Amino acid sequence: MKQQEKPLEEIKIDPRIPEGPLAEKWTNYKAHQKLVNPSNKRRLDIIVVGTGLAGASAAASLGELGFNVLSFCIQDSPRRAHSIAAQGGINAAKNYQNDGDSVYRLFYDTIKGGDYRAREANVYRLAEVSGNIIDQCVAQGVPFAREYGGLLDNRSFGGAQVSRTFYAKGQTGQQLLLGAYSAMSRQIAKGTVKLFPRREMVDVVIIEGRARGIIVRNLVTGKIERYSAHAVVIASGGYGNAYFLSTNAMASNGSAAIQIYKKGAYFANPSFVQIHPTCIPVHGDYQSKLTLMSESLRNDGRIWVPKRKEDAEAIRAGKLKPTDLKEEDRDYYLERRYPAFGNLVPRDVASRAAKERCDAGYGVGNTGLAVYLDFSDAISRLGINVIKERYGNLFQMYEKIVDDNPYETPMMIYPAIHYTMGGIWVDYELQTSVKGLFCIGEANFSDHGANRLGASALMQGLADGYFVLPYTIQNYLSDQIQVPRFSTDLPEFEDTEKSVNDRVKRIMNIKGKRSVDSIHRELGLIMWEYVGMSRNKEGLQIALDKIKEVRKEFWTNVYVPGEEYDFNTELAKALRLADFIEIGELIARDALMREESCGGHFREEYQTPDGEAKRNDEEFSFVSCWKYNGEGEEPTLLKEPLIYEFVQRQQRNYKE
Amino acid sequence: MEKFINITLKIWRQAGPKAKGRFETYQLEKVSTDSSFLEMLDILNEKLISEHIDPIAFDHDCREGICGMCSLYINGHPHGPDTEITTCQLHMRKFKDGDTIVVEPWRSAGFPVIKDLVVDRGAFDKIIQAGGYISVNTGGVPDGNAIPIPKEHADEAMDAATCIGCGACVAACKNGSAMLFVSAKVSHLALLPQGKVEAARRVKAMVAKMDELGFGNCTNTRACEAECPKNISISNIARLNRQFLSAKFKD
């Protein structure tokens, strides 16, 4: 059934932020929200799509409360979701280091780091619950790094002047995810959570304007399956793989986001994509993914390029080694440009500075698209063993990929697509513009504005899953207790499944000449070239034209081998690629609309004389919300104004 | 330095769980030694697709050695000939021009084949569900610094917790034993004060589930430790045995 369409001018974006002073909003909300009593909870079904930090922590917490949870993941086990690859750490305003940290300071750093494009109330809540996350993880047995006195250790991350990052070697994401996974496993044993691995959501089912189920493709049998629930939670991660090469896992995708966008959920700030400054540079055209080297390395590593162009040229030609270059012949450009934060400037700033040096001809490596990350100072200061203990697994990973020993020669790094701040629009309760449809973790747009600070993704994923959604979803479910379970035989399920089957058949029947990957790679090159680290009007228009051609190529010339109802990896990839093309177009469209530079979105036309991002708060202080209008139609731009009541906006300054 | 090599691949093909499998031979030319093993398989699959042959199914995801999704038994070794890495971190520079490379799925009663090189490792999830956790609900827990934990214990727990659940230990073991996997989780939690509370219950439940799911016994051949991409030590198995015996004595 179709929702009654409202005329556009009447659609107001309402974030539903609670009244009251910033520091009291969440407390007040919790005190007054509606709850579901224990005996009613077990009559309510909740679907959670994705088992990363957000999805697993939500499934576990909702199961513990007594809801009946259905959990879906595309991997063979929930423990393999891509949160597992997060390396550096998780932020929390514990102030264990007595260095002046507080909830307000973490809130402020996040708002400023996001270049004043995030919602104050959401970010404050995030900072507020950050401490609880650490307590929770410790209780679950997450083996965080400790000092000799037995207490928790911290390290520093970009964009902050305090040490508030908790870590477990260079495998913090792994340990936090295994914590959430084990909590979820406990609920699976108890029967409150039911697990559906190797299943990929292919559509959402809407009944009378509310999300009531999903359609999934069983990745082993290829069969299309239906599941119903009282509410649906999307925790499917980010859409960075629209760029083909990224630090995301191979199967990470934006399809769940696109499916719900097409069913009425707004897609917010799609152009806010994070490019991580420290990744292993691209090496060949057969390359399948990029590997991140944790931001934590910037605690002890110094970034530099040669001061003289002729030295850079000699290095590129293999005639000179970086270790041959004297101290005075090296340009530690971050320390030079940003004395106050030095190598620990936020990611967007560090990435652009690397690009600027390489574009100017000072890059190293055989492509000239790399800069050095050098540990020689830290090794002579602290000794090789300390560096080994802090970063051993990262150094080993680097050596295995590059075949070079980073203890002896500096690492080579270059920026790469890493994280998407943009995503599905949600209100304060993490509910999308479709009732009963929630979105958490990287998949939503909520807390990072135009740039995410390091070690804040883990914080947001777990905040949403452990401490926010389990409250806010009850406010929605409290009036659903009389609603009986839904049959999956309802016409809405029939129709949605049919449209999925039609889409699958259409792709199988194209029988063209191009492989899925070859078209995906083509899309990625366009995205990186025109919609990457720096963008301009002309380039974005070219991108929009070229993406149209890619779409046409895909729908007329893709070749998917094998059978529809089988374990068919190519078909799974093709379905995702069709959605990446839509996302790519949205990213470019949003970037073209936003005529300012902010955070990760850098428009060449809008910069300060010394090359820093120039925001335009007069005209662009809003969340761009894109509303789908049907195939081939242009989406409508709706705006949620960003009102800063508590923070004075400034131009971001990491220089002094 | 980047070089290009020609290789012969003998790869296990099996259409489904019940189908009869067989080795197929493929030739691949001019493979860059800088490419990873899985990128080499991508190139082979692209070639097969262009010839309208069903591509080889294999599991993989993060491609940076942490998700545990990739498997592959390469030339008689789980995760291939290099040490301390997963298959996705294996690079073609470890092979020589003219090499023949044999690629098989994990072979174990506990991990049935789904298709080609893909196996079902759901048994590992079931073992964790049997007790691989600390029974705390969200909220209402003490401050993270309330219980000091000696650094050595935290570090040792971390080393055990590094297990990625890939199943190489089972594939390496002539008995198809899952002891290294189970002992890593038992050790991780038993080494921490939070986990000690229910340690006896945990070890019994996890061992019972492991036996029930058809994994073999441990005969201390240490093949698991030698092949583990994350260097999980068999001292964890000794700890599991001590824990298990003391738990049983108390019964």
Side-chain angles (χ1 to χ4, degrees):
Chain A
M1 205 177 287
K2 229 178 159 199
Q3 208 181 347
Q4 198 69 41
E5 291 281 348
K6 282 185 196 160
L8 280 179
E9 55 273 24
E10 276 180 33
I11 299 180
K12 262 222 151 75
I13 306 279
D14 181 8
R16 300 171 67 201
I17 295 165
E19 295 295 317
L22 187 61
E24 290 168 25
K25 284 179 191 291
W26 181 231
T27 312
N28 285 343
Y29 176 87
K30 286 189 292 184
H32 296 106
Q33 68 160 123
K34 289 179 273 180
L35 295 173
V36 179
N37 93 25
S39 64
N40 284 329
K41 284 190 182 113
R42 73 179 86 96
R43 303 213 310 241
L44 293 170
D45 304 336
I46 303 171
I47 283 172
V48 181
V49 180
T51 58
L53 286 174
S57 59
S61 304
L62 293 167
E64 287 160 10
L65 287 169
F67 291 107
N68 185 40
V69 179
L70 293 83
S71 162
F72 295 81
C73 67
I74 53 176
Q75 295 85 359
D76 68 336
S77 162
R79 67 180 292 153
R80 309 204 198 281
H82 194 52
S83 303
I84 200 129
Q87 298 168 350
I90 176 164
N91 288 327
K94 281 286 200 183
N95 195 31
Y96 283 160
Q97 304 304 324
N98 193 32
D99 55 0
D101 202 8
S102 63
V103 167
Y104 185 84
R105 191 172 288 273
L106 174 54
F107 153 76
Y108 179 77
D109 286 348
T110 308
I111 287 277
K112 177 188 172 192
D115 218 353
Y116 305 94
R117 290 292 174 263
R119 240 186 240 151
E120 278 185 329
N122 285 55
V123 176
Y124 196 88
R125 176 177 64 189
L126 175 67
E128 223 177 324
V129 303
S130 65
N132 302 58
I133 298 170
I134 302 305
D135 301 341
Q136 188 63 39
C137 295
V138 168
Q140 287 169 349
V142 169
F144 283 122
R146 288 177 183 265
E147 306 267 18
Y148 280 103
L151 301 184
L152 293 161
D153 191 19
N154 289 120
R155 51 170 58 147
S156 304
F157 257 60
Q161 287 173 314
V162 295
S163 262
R164 62 159 76 98
T165 306
F166 296 79
Y167 67 100
K169 281 196 178 165
Q171 291 143 259
T172 318
Q174 179 198 28
Q175 294 309 314
L176 296 177
L177 183 65
L178 293 180
Y181 159 74
S182 59
M184 184 177 152
S185 295
R186 176 170 161 248
Q187 293 309 308
I188 294 171
K190 285 188 167 181
T192 57
V193 175
K194 198 153 182 236
L195 178 67
F196 298 90
R198 291 198 194 264
R199 305 293 207 293
E200 182 152 9
M201 172 175 163
V202 280
D203 215 338
V204 63
V205 179
I206 311 280
I207 299 175
E208 291 174 354
R210 292 172 190 259
R212 294 301 192 189
I214 60 171
I215 306 289
V216 308
R217 185 166 174 274
N218 182 323
L219 295 175
V220 175
T221 63
K223 297 244 161 61
I224 306 295
E225 302 169 351
R226 309 170 185 183
Y227 298 90
S228 71
H230 292 85
V232 175
V233 180
I234 303 298
S236 55
Y239 49 87
N241 273 345
Y243 289 77
F244 188 67
L245 284 182
S246 82
T247 64
N248 286 186
M250 302 302 284
S252 297
N253 67 79
S255 287
I258 279 295
Q259 291 146 20
I260 64 173
Y261 161 70
K262 290 188 171 173
K263 291 290 171 77
Y266 306 144
F267 208 120
N269 296 337
S271 66
F272 292 169
V273 172
Q274 179 162 79
I275 293 169
H276 197 294
T278 55
C279 301
I280 299 178
V282 177
H283 58 81
D285 56 11
Y286 46 80
Q287 195 163 358
S288 57
K289 80 153 271 163
L290 297 170
T291 304
L292 174 77
M293 287 286 108
S294 165
E295 176 160 323
S296 61
L297 293 170
R298 287 199 271 146
N299 270 283
D300 289 308
R302 298 176 71 196
I303 294 176
W304 64 274
V305 290
K307 233 176 217 167
R308 287 192 301 259
K309 259 189 205 170
E310 51 272 30
D311 287 343
E313 279 157 18
I315 286 175
R316 289 202 290 272
K319 290 179 196 148
L320 194 65
K321 285 199 215 110
T323 41
D324 297 338
L325 237 61
K326 290 202 206 70
E327 194 61 21
E328 60 268 28
D329 295 329
R330 302 172 174 196
D331 176 16
Y332 296 93
Y333 57 88
L334 288 176
E335 297 169 30
R336 169 171 60 78
R337 281 178 71 175
Y338 309 99
F341 282 70
N343 292 296
L344 284 171
V345 290
R347 291 177 175 174
D348 57 328
V349 177
S351 290
R352 273 197 297 279
K355 180 175 158 50
E356 188 275 331
R357 282 294 82 190
C358 292
D359 289 352
Y362 296 91
V364 294
N366 50 11
T367 58
L369 292 176
V371 299
Y372 290 124
L373 177 61
D374 195 335
F375 293 87
S376 51
D377 269 9
I379 288 173
S380 51
R381 191 176 71 243
L382 304 163
I384 197 161
N385 286 334
V386 173
I387 297 302
K388 253 189 196 144
E389 186 173 319
R390 285 186 189 163
Y391 313 112
N393 67 319
L394 298 170
F395 277 47
Q396 188 244 18
M397 199 193 282
Y398 182 87
E399 190 171 355
K400 292 289 181 188
I401 294 173
V402 183
D403 206 20
D404 217 359
N405 181 351
Y407 293 101
E408 285 162 14
T409 40
M411 280 185 182
M412 280 194 285
I413 51 158
Y414 197 67
I417 297 288
H418 178 57
Y419 183 90
T420 52
M421 283 75 68
I424 294 299
W425 182 88
V426 288
D427 64 15
Y428 188 75
E429 297 185 319
L430 306 179
Q431 187 165 213
T432 70
S433 42
V434 176
K435 273 188 187 162
L437 184 60
F438 294 78
C439 189
I440 59 176
E442 188 181 349
N444 75 24
F445 90 105
S446 74
D447 297 349
H448 307 296
N451 172 58
R452 175 175 67 74
L453 291 182
S456 284
L458 306 188
M459 172 172 69
Q460 186 225 334
L462 291 180
D464 286 0
Y466 284 134
F467 297 110
V468 180
L469 183 81
Y471 286 89
T472 58
I473 201 169
Q474 292 192 53
N475 205 34
Y476 170 75
L477 288 171
S478 62
D479 68 356
Q480 299 291 304
I481 50 178
Q482 303 292 345
V483 179
R485 292 209 152 93
F486 291 86
S487 158
T488 52
D489 294 333
L490 290 167
E492 288 85 352
F493 279 92
E494 288 281 347
D495 294 349
T496 317
E497 183 182 320
K498 187 177 177 301
S499 77
V500 167
N501 272 320
D502 290 349
R503 184 161 26 129
V504 171
K505 287 206 167 56
R506 192 175 155 203
I507 289 174
M508 292 301 296
N509 288 334
I510 295 167
K511 297 198 194 309
K513 291 198 166 58
R514 299 272 305 268
S515 72
V516 177
D517 278 358
S518 76
I519 301 178
H520 194 172
R521 199 181 289 273
E522 189 180 328
L523 172 71
L525 287 173
I526 297 165
M527 296 301 294
W528 183 244
E529 176 76 20
Y530 301 105
V531 204
M533 253 188 289
S534 84
R535 305 153 174 185
N536 60 55
K537 188 175 178 181
E538 194 192 350
L540 289 165
Q541 266 151 352
I542 294 173
L544 283 168
D545 291 341
K546 285 182 179 265
I547 293 167
K548 279 198 179 71
E549 288 165 28
V550 171
R551 179 188 286 120
K552 193 172 161 221
E553 180 72 3
F554 175 84
W555 287 105
T556 55
N557 200 20
V558 76
Y559 172 70
V560 177
E563 301 299 320
E564 187 180 331
Y565 299 114
D566 191 8
F567 189 107
N568 188 339
T569 312
E570 289 300 308
L571 175 56
K573 283 181 350 193
L575 287 162
R576 290 173 202 151
L577 177 56
D579 296 329
F580 279 133
I581 295 169
E582 304 303 310
I583 293 177
E585 189 171 57
L586 265 182
I587 299 173
R589 192 183 290 279
D590 191 54
L592 183 63
M593 175 282 300
R594 193 168 280 278
E595 293 177 326
E596 64 163 350
S597 294
C598 58
H601 169 66
F602 191 77
R603 282 282 299 263
E604 287 157 10
E605 305 94 314
Y606 310 99
Q607 51 181 309
T608 63
D610 51 353
E612 306 296 335
K614 198 169 154 197
R615 273 196 340 261
N616 179 349
D617 290 338
E618 290 286 301
E619 291 176 79
F620 291 96
S621 183
F622 60 81
V623 178
S624 53
C625 308
W626 295 94
K627 182 181 175 295
Y628 184 70
N629 288 326
E631 206 175 313
E633 301 292 318
E634 300 225 336
T636 309
L637 173 66
L638 305 169
K639 298 174 185 176
E640 178 202 329
L642 285 167
I643 300 147
Y644 282 84
E645 286 181 77
F646 304 95
V647 168
Q648 184 77 38
R649 270 184 287 204
Q650 293 159 356
Q651 194 203 326
R652 279 195 312 174
N653 179 355
Y654 293 100
K655 292 176 194 286
E656 52 203 51
Chain B
M1 279 302 282
E2 185 176 16
K3 282 189 296 197
F4 293 90
I5 55 174
N6 299 334
I7 50 171
T8 303
L9 291 148
K10 286 190 190 300
I11 296 180
W12 184 259
R13 304 297 313 253
Q14 184 173 337
K18 301 232 169 73
K20 196 164 179 292
R22 67 196 185 284
F23 280 104
E24 287 279 343
T25 305
Y26 305 97
Q27 308 289 338
L28 212 50
E29 287 172 2
K30 292 187 191 131
V31 178
S32 163
T33 51
D34 275 354
S35 69
S36 73
F37 194 84
L38 296 186
E39 283 165 355
M40 180 276 293
L41 285 184
D42 291 342
I43 295 167
L44 174 62
N45 272 345
E46 284 284 301
K47 187 171 163 236
L48 296 180
I49 292 166
S50 73
E51 294 162 6
H52 288 204
I53 298 170
D54 203 20
I56 297 147
F58 62 94
D59 266 332
H60 63 101
D61 200 17
C62 78
R63 295 209 177 184
E64 50 187 86
I66 193 74
C67 75
M69 188 92 178
C70 67
S71 49
L72 304 193
Y73 202 78
I74 304 164
N75 286 350
H77 293 279
H79 296 302
D82 202 356
T83 53
E84 292 178 51
I85 52 158
T86 56
T87 294
C88 65
Q89 294 173 294
L90 175 65
H91 278 69
M92 293 309 291
R93 62 179 78 95
K94 296 288 165 190
F95 298 93
K96 291 194 294 292
D97 191 40
D99 273 0
T100 296
I101 306 171
V102 182
V103 190
E104 297 168 78
W106 281 176
R107 295 198 192 275
S108 162
F111 296 155
V113 170
I114 292 175
K115 184 178 179 181
D116 296 342
L117 304 170
V118 176
V119 298
D120 180 359
R121 286 169 291 192
F124 271 13
D125 286 327
K126 293 198 177 85
I127 293 172
I128 297 293
Q129 287 156 20
Y133 43 77
I134 292 172
S135 300
V136 290
N137 283 354
T138 303
V141 297
D143 184 87
N145 261 347
I147 314 170
I149 299 174
K151 187 176 184 323
E152 312 81 80
H153 294 184
D155 288 349
E156 215 183 335
M158 177 64 204
D159 288 342
T162 298
C163 170
I164 56 173
C166 63
C169 47
V170 176
C173 179
K174 66 185 172 70
N175 307 320
S177 168
M179 280 290 265
L180 194 65
F181 168 77
V182 178
S183 70
K185 188 46 66 184
V186 164
S187 288
H188 155 216
L189 296 174
L191 281 160
L192 299 170
Q194 308 92 299
K196 285 211 167 79
V197 183
E198 52 189 330
R201 192 173 75 122
R202 174 183 311 117
V203 70
K204 282 188 290 181
M206 290 181 76
V207 168
K209 182 55 83 175
M210 170 180 77
D211 292 344
E212 178 197 319
L213 292 170
F215 292 99
N217 290 319
C218 173
T219 49
N220 287 309
T221 67
R222 308 185 74 153
C224 53
E225 181 185 59
E227 298 291 1
C228 174
K230 295 293 158 184
N231 260 348
I232 305 291
S233 159
I234 62 155
S235 63
N236 290 305
I237 297 184
R239 187 180 290 106
L240 179 143
N241 285 332
R242 283 198 302 277
Q243 292 249 331
F244 184 74
L245 284 175
S246 93
K248 282 287 184 191
F249 275 131
K250 279 181 198 149
D251 280 352

